[in-house]
Amino acid sequence: MTNEELAVFLPKERLIQKYRTLDWPGVEPALSSRYRGRPELRDVACGPCRACLEACPAGALERFAPGRTPSLDMGKCVFCGACAKACQNGAIAFGNDYRLAARCRQELVARPEASAFGVKEPAARNILRKKGIFGRSFKLRQVSAGGCNACEADCNVLGTLVYDLGRFGVEFTASPRHADAIVVTGPISLNMLPALLAAWRSVPGPRVLAAVGTCAISGGLFRQSGVCAGGFDGCVKACAEMDLEIPEDFRPAVMIPGCPPNPWSILEGLLLARQTG
């Protein structure tokens, strides 16, 4: 195609494609019917049945009461759906709520009984509320700490025209010295732990740390590996064993579970992290 033909084609194609950026959060995204979001648990009498616990490859399920539906730790869950398929009582299901980010590790534990853990507060929070010094501009430096590139790819896609991360005043930068936050993906391999700490120390304060993906939170399927710290859950222990000094503020302000998280989950979580400033 010549330059002249291209000059005619591009404006015409732009009119055909029209405006593709979704007016989110004003308009909710259309998620696939196969998408597995926030777990929905019913408290039933399971008796001695352990089908769901044995089916879970990540060890994310734990009994909180004998013979009852177990709790589900989204910080360990890889959202494979094996537990829901194995449950004969239909006590475990995955809804379509993509708002999974949490500021507290305990908030990622879903329990079947009606309690503070079961309240769907994230759906009601105002993530566009301007707060703190990060209200207008929020610069991110992404660090892949041994990731498989799935979470990294879903972070990168936020820059495309559908999500348009920049319209919220949020963008990725090339250096931690220019960043307000470090976005960590991967189970934090021991080889990457010193580099991650160095990157964190390079970020000028005030600063924010965000864990994207189950691996970054707990190590996911790799948390028992001898070459991984086991995400932020195991960072303190790993630093002590490696004789590394760990900063007092080296803990995630926001955790976004998933394997990998949906881009909408990451976007919502990053905007939640911006409010911590």
Side-chain angles (χ1 to χ4, degrees):
M1 182 179 292
T2 66
N3 289 338
E4 291 76 11
E5 291 173 331
L6 187 62
V8 174
F9 170 78
L10 290 179
K12 181 179 179 182
E13 185 62 21
R14 187 68 185 88
L15 290 173
I16 295 173
Q17 293 289 333
K18 297 182 179 179
Y19 188 75
R20 289 300 184 93
T21 302
L22 187 66
D23 185 21
W24 179 88
V27 176
E28 287 297 308
L31 300 172
S32 168
S33 59
R34 295 179 295 176
Y35 170 70
R36 299 187 186 98
R38 182 174 292 275
E40 298 174 352
L41 309 179
R42 289 193 308 112
D43 187 19
V44 302
C46 301
C49 179
R50 293 182 51 85
C52 62
L53 284 84
E54 294 172 357
C56 179
L61 296 170
E62 183 179 353
R63 297 275 193 200
F64 69 95
R68 310 299 299 187
T69 303
S71 61
L72 191 154
D73 187 348
M74 290 188 289
K76 297 178 180 179
C77 180
V78 294
F79 293 79
C80 65
C83 57
K85 294 178 182 178
C87 182
Q88 300 294 323
N89 298 312
I92 304 175
F94 289 86
N96 62 353
D97 188 355
Y98 60 89
R99 301 171 179 86
L100 304 176
R103 291 192 176 101
C104 173
R105 182 66 177 87
Q106 200 174 32
E107 291 176 3
L108 293 178
V109 179
R111 297 178 182 267
E113 81 276 26
S115 68
F117 298 100
V119 177
K120 293 188 178 181
E121 180 270 336
R125 62 190 175 207
N126 183 2
I127 51 150
L128 293 184
R129 174 168 45 90
K130 302 296 183 183
K131 180 182 178 181
I133 64 173
F134 300 133
R136 293 182 177 273
S137 177
F138 192 43
K139 307 295 184 182
L140 313 172
R141 170 60 181 170
Q142 196 268 323
V143 175
S144 177
C148 69
N149 205 40
C151 292
E152 292 83 348
D154 278 349
C155 285
N156 290 342
V157 80
L158 296 179
T160 61
L161 58 87
V162 173
Y163 305 96
D164 193 10
L165 182 66
R167 65 193 164 109
F168 300 106
V170 183
E171 61 182 23
F172 288 91
T173 187
S175 170
R177 298 185 186 278
H178 303 156
D180 301 309
I182 293 288
V183 175
V184 182
T185 55
I188 311 182
S189 65
L190 298 183
N191 283 341
M192 275 299 299
L193 183 53
L196 176 58
L197 288 169
W200 178 242
R201 291 190 180 98
S202 299
V203 179
R207 54 192 179 181
V208 177
L209 196 58
V212 174
T214 295
C215 283
I217 298 170
S218 69
L221 297 176
F222 308 100
R223 71 175 181 274
Q224 301 298 333
S225 171
V227 298
C228 290
F232 281 101
D233 282 358
C235 262
V236 174
K237 179 181 178 181
C239 286
E241 293 175 349
M242 297 175 66
D243 197 24
L244 295 173
E245 184 179 352
I246 184 168
E248 292 184 4
D249 60 348
F250 188 70
R251 55 185 179 276
V254 167
M255 292 155 284
I256 309 169
C259 188
N262 186 281
W264 293 113
S265 300
I266 300 175
L267 177 57
E268 198 262 352
L270 292 179
L271 294 180
L272 184 65
R274 183 178 64 175
Q275 295 182 0
T276 62

